[in-house]
Amino acid sequence: MRTRAPDYYESFQCWAGACPHSCCIGWEVVVDEDTALRYAQETGPLGERLRAALQRDEEGDLCFPLRGGRCPFLDGENLCEIHRELGEAATSATCREHPRFTEEYGPFREISLAASCPAANALLLGSREPLTFQEWETPEAAETGDPWLEPLLAVRTRMLALLEDRTRPLRRRLDAILALAQAAQPLLDRDRGELLPDLAAEWRPAVESVPPGPGLFPAAQRFLTELECLEPDWRALLHQSEAAAPVPTDEAPLERIAAYFLFRQILKTVNDGDLLSRTALCVFAVLTVERISAICGLPEALRRFSREVEHDSDNLEDLRAFLWEEGVLDRIRRELAQ
């Protein structure tokens, strides 16, 4: 099976105890059933502590509830006791996989590294080159993919090519990507996904006038404050960014952030046919992260947005619904035109 990942994937290495924002702090650790069975058989004092700590949450998942905001097995050096005493294989699937997002599409899989992880964030923003993606083969047998998969892949490839065209300002590129999604969505709505590759190949950005009216901000921050919140100061940060004047930002890292989100989101359209809101989500994320960066800097703004939005499926769905509300796409287009 083909596997695809960002070009910095193999350079990733967890910062462990040196991480300033440990993934073992603030997030409840879900324990998969296989790992729980292993803990049931573990001997000694650690085995007793593992079994005593395991509980089921409101959704019925086994987990280690936080103590003082920390995983009960995170020691004073911010290192995992389970990993230290029993090895990485004894940690839960959640811990072993984080910060990886893995999407299985049948004939191939795609893996990304969550920008909420400081180590992955640093790799994403640590270069000014266009973000590219590496591929390799694994021994697993490939499966048949959704009929829309290859057509959507052609659209994403065209979007990434538009994004890499540095002869144009980044906002014009983002507007072109959003316009391509608007042109493609009716084909999906009519179940004519087979026409997407021709559209992607022939489509060219057009100069369009944007009707007057408000831009994306502060509506974006105010909407985000209404979502589920992991850390209370997230809302304060959003409120601060409402009043903050935009600051000049290097387009190269913003371009890489856009590529990160396009890679993560566009092919998921096979699940529901909703290309437009997924593309708008990518553009919304870039513009909002840039705006918040006026308060805390670009890496921290991206980390916080990823932590609060990307890792919460309810927040993602609510955001996509918001992007379909009347006038929101026009707000984004006006923001891009500024």
Side-chain angles (χ1 to χ4, degrees):
M1 178 185 288
R2 280 181 296 152
T3 300
R4 186 180 294 119
D7 53 21
Y8 55 85
Y9 178 76
E10 292 183 349
S11 299
F12 173 75
Q13 186 172 1
C14 175
W15 290 351
C19 183
H21 302 286
S22 172
C23 52
C24 302
I25 299 175
W27 273 325
E28 188 177 79
V29 178
V30 175
V31 178
D32 58 284
E33 296 289 345
D34 288 342
T35 303
L37 287 173
R38 171 170 181 159
Y39 293 164
Q41 301 169 15
E42 195 63 47
T43 60
L46 181 56
E48 294 177 5
R49 289 178 56 210
L50 288 166
R51 291 186 289 276
L54 272 178
Q55 296 183 22
R56 291 204 179 268
D57 62 17
E58 295 178 355
E59 298 177 352
D61 293 324
L62 283 168
C63 65
F64 291 141
L66 299 178
R67 294 177 184 171
R70 298 164 60 90
C71 172
F73 295 97
L74 188 65
D75 67 18
E77 297 177 348
N78 279 351
L79 296 173
C80 175
E81 292 183 62
I82 303 170
H83 191 292
R84 292 179 95 172
E85 294 195 26
L86 303 177
E88 181 182 4
T91 60
S92 72
T94 300
C95 298
R96 293 194 304 273
E97 293 171 4
H98 185 82
R100 299 163 187 84
F101 286 121
T102 301
E103 300 291 340
E104 302 283 353
Y105 289 110
F108 60 85
R109 71 166 57 94
E110 293 190 340
I111 308 174
S112 53
L113 296 168
S116 59
C117 167
N121 186 305
L123 289 170
L124 173 60
L125 300 181
S127 171
R128 300 191 75 260
E129 296 300 314
L131 181 60
T132 59
F133 302 91
Q134 60 186 13
E135 291 188 5
W136 64 93
E137 292 287 337
T138 60
E140 299 101 320
E143 299 179 3
T144 302
D146 187 282
W148 283 357
L149 186 58
E150 291 300 325
L152 286 167
L153 189 58
V155 171
R156 189 182 70 178
T157 298
R158 181 77 174 112
M159 288 178 171
L160 290 171
L162 289 167
L163 183 63
E164 292 179 10
D165 180 10
R166 294 185 176 181
T167 64
R168 308 177 69 212
L170 178 62
R171 291 191 172 216
R172 299 290 80 75
R173 290 178 263 163
L174 293 175
D175 187 66
I177 289 167
L178 188 56
L180 174 55
Q182 288 180 302
Q185 187 61 54
L187 296 179
L188 293 169
D189 293 343
R190 299 199 304 269
D191 200 19
R192 298 303 306 274
E194 74 277 4
L195 300 179
L196 290 176
D198 287 341
L199 173 68
E202 298 169 2
W203 188 87
R204 295 294 181 272
V207 178
E208 300 179 10
S209 60
V210 180
L216 183 59
F217 307 107
Q221 295 101 318
R222 292 175 183 174
F223 168 75
L224 291 174
T225 62
E226 298 172 0
L227 300 181
E228 293 179 342
C229 182
L230 185 64
E231 297 179 352
D233 67 337
W234 169 238
R235 291 194 174 97
L237 181 60
L238 292 170
H239 287 309
Q240 283 181 278
S241 70
E242 286 185 33
V247 296
T249 307
D250 185 358
E251 288 191 348
L254 290 174
E255 175 194 308
R256 287 174 64 88
I257 292 171
Y260 163 85
F261 280 106
L262 289 170
F263 182 73
R264 288 270 298 115
Q265 293 295 327
I266 297 304
L267 294 191
K268 292 181 182 180
T269 302
V270 299
N271 298 322
D272 54 21
D274 186 4
L275 175 66
L276 184 53
S277 80
R278 294 186 187 282
T279 306
L281 186 157
C282 298
V283 177
F284 176 98
V286 175
L287 295 175
T288 303
V289 166
E290 180 186 25
R291 190 69 171 225
I292 297 170
S293 72
I295 303 299
C296 59
L298 191 62
E300 179 65 3
L302 175 60
R303 186 189 72 82
R304 295 301 299 271
F305 183 93
S306 176
R307 182 176 172 89
E308 296 286 347
V309 179
E310 269 201 295
H311 288 275
D312 189 313
S313 59
D314 290 335
N315 283 351
L316 279 173
E317 289 306 307
D318 288 346
L319 174 53
R320 289 176 56 207
F322 168 74
L323 294 168
W324 272 113
E325 289 182 9
E326 184 175 357
V328 175
L329 285 179
D330 287 339
R331 282 177 175 266
I332 294 175
R333 299 293 293 274
R334 284 192 288 268
E335 196 68 40
L336 292 170
Q338 293 179 13

